Amino acid sequence: DEEINGIKTIYTKFIKYLDVNDSKLSGYFLGKQYKGVVSEEFDILRFSNKKIINIELKSKMIIEEEIKRQLNRHDYFLKSIDIDLEVKLFTYIQETDELFKYCDCKKEIIQCEFEELIEEIPTDFCEQNLLEKLNATSFIISPYSDIKRFSSSQYFFNIQQEQAEKLLKNSDKRLLGLRGGAGTGKSLILFDVAEYFSSNKEYEVLFIFCSKMDEDKIENIDKVVSFKFTDIVNVDFKKIED
């Protein structure tokens, strides 16, 4: 009932700026959920050819950190549908009549007016729920073949991957090994850990691919990560020892 009241309130605000026949009032999916390798719920979704709009509804005010945490997760999740689709996220608080928008460049939320939300809504829309396109491979990526998504942090770790990542980051051992079957995300975890140590702890990190790799691919990866990336053929072990 609270979410229905929230939707009614948003509608009354929309029609202050839009004609009732405006296409921006159509094409919404309400109360949709994805269940798979990860689970997520969405109050209001709207898909178009170039953009995804997500509006979350809260009956009462909650701390801004919780709003930001949810929208940050939704941002990663919805960008997994298609990296070329722009994602715009909002949260409406009915109790205080406040609207917040998510700024993905800063990973922050700021208060905004409904005019800003309406301006972001395209006139076109898709009748298909694009959540149905998602599967396990949407979240477990290979940084070797999809470095663009890695550099944009558009990936998720499941519970086992999170545990492995934390063990690697927090260990005081000088030599560690990571074991797992094909497609379990070993490379993604190692890329994430290498990025963590090179950018957050100011270490010099060298990531060596275990066999020969095309030079163009090495260059593409090396220029977007904060650590040094190469393959084993190009490693000067004498220089490393020195």
Side-chain angles (χ1 to χ4, degrees):
D1 290 343
E2 291 175 348
E3 290 183 353
I4 291 174
N5 288 333
I7 293 169
K8 288 180 178 178
T9 302
I10 288 177
Y11 174 74
T12 58
K13 291 182 177 295
F14 273 28
I15 59 175
K16 289 180 180 179
Y17 306 98
L18 301 171
D19 182 87
V20 291
N21 295 316
D22 196 305
S23 62
K24 289 188 175 187
L25 290 174
S26 301
Y28 295 89
F29 292 89
L30 308 178
K32 293 300 179 182
Q33 183 178 28
Y34 172 82
K35 289 184 178 181
V37 65
V38 293
S39 297
E40 203 73 21
E41 295 182 358
F42 301 88
D43 293 334
I44 302 176
L45 284 171
R46 189 179 191 274
F47 306 102
S48 66
N49 290 327
K50 295 183 178 181
K51 188 181 291 187
I52 300 174
I53 301 289
N54 172 217
I55 307 170
E56 290 303 307
L57 305 172
K58 307 295 180 187
S59 60
K60 296 181 179 181
M61 186 61 188
I62 59 176
I63 62 174
E64 291 191 8
E65 189 62 31
E66 290 186 17
I67 297 174
K68 182 173 68 175
R69 189 182 300 114
Q70 182 185 45
L71 295 186
N72 183 52
R73 184 171 175 84
H74 282 194
D75 185 55
Y76 290 157
F77 193 98
L78 294 171
K79 283 179 178 175
S80 297
I81 294 174
D82 188 331
I83 194 171
D84 293 322
L85 287 177
E86 186 179 8
V87 175
K88 295 294 181 179
L89 305 106
F90 300 84
T91 294
Y92 174 65
I93 313 295
Q94 189 169 6
E95 180 184 51
T96 57
D97 193 28
E98 292 177 297
L99 183 68
F100 294 89
K101 70 176 180 180
Y102 179 75
C103 301
D104 60 349
C105 57
K106 297 181 179 180
K107 310 298 182 187
E108 296 290 345
I109 60 169
I110 59 172
Q111 194 170 347
C112 65
E113 301 297 328
F114 267 88
E115 292 96 321
E116 295 180 61
L117 167 56
I118 292 171
E119 287 176 5
E120 291 287 0
I121 302 173
T123 54
D124 69 304
F125 60 87
C126 301
E127 296 185 358
Q128 179 190 3
N129 177 9
L130 297 187
L131 291 177
E132 297 171 353
K133 293 176 60 177
L134 291 171
N135 52 50
T137 59
S138 301
F139 306 102
I140 302 176
I141 68 169
S142 169
Y144 302 123
S145 59
D146 205 346
I147 191 61
K148 185 177 179 181
R149 280 184 63 188
F150 173 79
S151 63
S152 303
S153 299
Q154 294 175 23
Y155 56 89
F156 285 104
F157 284 145
N158 59 31
I159 294 174
Q160 291 78 15
Q161 291 168 332
E162 285 183 351
Q163 290 173 342
E165 179 207 31
K166 288 178 181 178
L167 287 171
L168 291 172
K169 287 180 178 178
N170 298 326
S171 176
D172 58 359
K173 296 182 183 298
R174 292 182 57 83
L175 181 63
L176 294 165
L178 179 63
R179 295 178 61 187
T184 56
K186 298 185 300 296
S187 296
L188 180 59
I189 294 171
L190 292 175
F191 265 68
D192 187 89
V193 171
E195 192 76 13
Y196 169 79
F197 279 109
S198 60
S199 60
N200 296 345
K201 296 205 171 185
E202 299 180 353
Y203 287 103
E204 289 186 78
V205 178
L206 174 62
F207 193 114
I208 305 172
F209 185 66
C210 61
S211 62
K212 182 174 175 55
M213 180 179 282
D214 184 81
E215 288 295 332
D216 289 340
K217 181 171 286 190
I218 293 175
E219 184 178 342
N220 288 338
I221 295 174
D222 190 56
K223 68 182 180 182
V224 299
V225 295
S226 63
F227 51 88
K228 177 63 179 176
F229 179 85
T230 188
D231 66 11
I232 198 167
V233 176
N234 290 314
V235 175
D236 185 343
F237 287 98
K238 181 67 169 62
K239 186 176 179 180
I240 293 175
E241 291 172 358
D242 294 339

